[in-house]
């Protein structure tokens, strides 16, 4: 798959096959792509916690407040993305420029994870609705939890939905 094909095929999966495990080699490829994601000063100010089994069940429950993310328990793997310290150069830049590079870096990381998962034939969904304290406790984390990404195979018959995106002229502006 080229990148445009990956971008076209990737969608938020909300219907996982709980009986189908993710192969370790596919997970390893996804994590290697995540390791290669660019970040401010190459600092990678985040940690990825791979949750399976009971840990995945605890994390899934912590994403289900107010009846949301009902599909999360069916995903065999949940990737918890938490904050880590900046490297000194990125910390200085963030302070001087009053810019949150860590949030940008986590967004780029999530894009790399979801793109590689799609290339591996897996589904993902990025969850921002979560109970930070419960997930920290479940995973033994000290850094703030920013995202949880569900990962697994979509159920049979889960078809690609049409993309609803802004028109190009609404999204892009050229300046010379």
């Amino acid at each position: 798959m080229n990148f445009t094909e990956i971008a076209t095929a990737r969608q938020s999966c909300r219907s996982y096959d709980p009986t189908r495990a993710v192969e370790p080699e596919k997970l390893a490829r996804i994590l290697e792509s995540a390791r290669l994601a660019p970040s401010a000063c190459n600092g990678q100010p985040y940690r990825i916690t791979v949750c399976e089994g009971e840990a995945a069940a605890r994390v899934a429950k912590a994403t289900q407040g107010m009846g949301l993310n009902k599909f999360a328990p069916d995903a065999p793997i949940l990737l918890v993305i938490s904050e880590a310290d900046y490297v000194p150069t990125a910390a200085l830049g963030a302070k001087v420029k009053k810019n949150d590079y860590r949030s940008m870096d986590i967004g780029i990381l999530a894009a790399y994870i979801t793109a590689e998962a799609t290339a591996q034939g897996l589904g993902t969904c990025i969850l921002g609705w979560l109970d930070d304290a419960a997930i920290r406790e479940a995973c033994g984390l000290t850094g703030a939890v920013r995202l949880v990404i569900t990962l697994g195979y979509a159920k049979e018959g889960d078809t690609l939905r049409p993309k609803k995106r802004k028109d190009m002229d609404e999204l892009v502006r050229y300046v010379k």
Side-chain angles (χ1 to χ4, degrees), residues 96-111:
V96 169
K97 290 298 183 181
K98 296 179 177 61
N99 211 340
D100 182 8
Y101 298 121
R102 188 172 13 234
S103 290
M104 291 179 232
D105 293 342
I106 288 171
I108 294 166
L109 174 73

Side-chain angles (χ1 to χ4, degrees), residues 2 19 47 54 59 68 88 107 109 136 144 146 165 172:
N2 68 39
T19 67
R47 293 294 171 266
E54 285 301 313
V59 171
L68 296 172
L109 174 73
R136 283 193 207 198
R146 293 298 175 213
R165 301 292 190 266
V172 178

Side-chain angles (χ1 to χ4, degrees), residues 31-44:
L31 295 173
E32 177 61 14
S33 290
R35 190 181 72 82
L36 296 172
S39 61
C41 302
N42 292 317
Q44 298 175 297

Side-chain angles (χ1 to χ4, degrees), residues 41-101:
C41 302
N42 292 317
Q44 298 175 297
Y46 42 72
R47 293 294 171 266
I48 304 166
T49 304
V50 180
C51 299
E52 299 176 286
E54 285 301 313
R58 288 190 303 273
V59 171
K61 184 176 180 184
T63 68
Q64 294 185 297
M66 296 182 65
L68 296 172
N69 303 320
K70 291 179 182 181
F71 58 89
D74 289 337
I77 296 175
L78 279 79
L79 303 174
V80 174
I81 313 301
S82 58
E83 288 186 355
D85 291 337
Y86 279 122
V87 295
T89 51
L92 178 63
K95 186 174 183 175
V96 169
K97 290 298 183 181
K98 296 179 177 61
N99 211 340
D100 182 8
Y101 298 121

Side-chain angles (χ1 to χ4, degrees), residues 59-176:
V59 171
K61 184 176 180 184
T63 68
Q64 294 185 297
M66 296 182 65
L68 296 172
N69 303 320
K70 291 179 182 181
F71 58 89
D74 289 337
I77 296 175
L78 279 79
L79 303 174
V80 174
I81 313 301
S82 58
E83 288 186 355
D85 291 337
Y86 279 122
V87 295
T89 51
L92 178 63
K95 186 174 183 175
V96 169
K97 290 298 183 181
K98 296 179 177 61
N99 211 340
D100 182 8
Y101 298 121
R102 188 172 13 234
S103 290
M104 291 179 232
D105 293 342
I106 288 171
I108 294 166
L109 174 73
Y112 270 58
I113 288 170
T114 58
E116 183 60 39
T118 300
Q120 296 300 320
L122 295 164
T124 57
C125 190
I126 302 168
L127 310 179
W129 184 270
L130 52 86
D131 181 335
D132 173 70
I135 295 173
R136 283 193 207 198
E137 182 178 328
C139 296
L141 299 171
T142 56
V145 175
R146 293 298 175 213
L147 298 173
V148 172
I149 302 175
T150 55
L151 176 67
Y153 285 97
K155 279 186 181 173
E156 189 77 28
D158 186 40
T159 59
L160 186 62
R161 298 179 300 274
K163 301 274 186 209
K164 296 178 183 175
R165 301 292 190 266
K166 292 179 179 180
D167 289 331
M168 194 65 76
D169 62 342
E170 210 181 334
L171 185 65
V172 178
R173 187 178 82 131
Y174 291 89
V175 178
K176 293 184 183 189

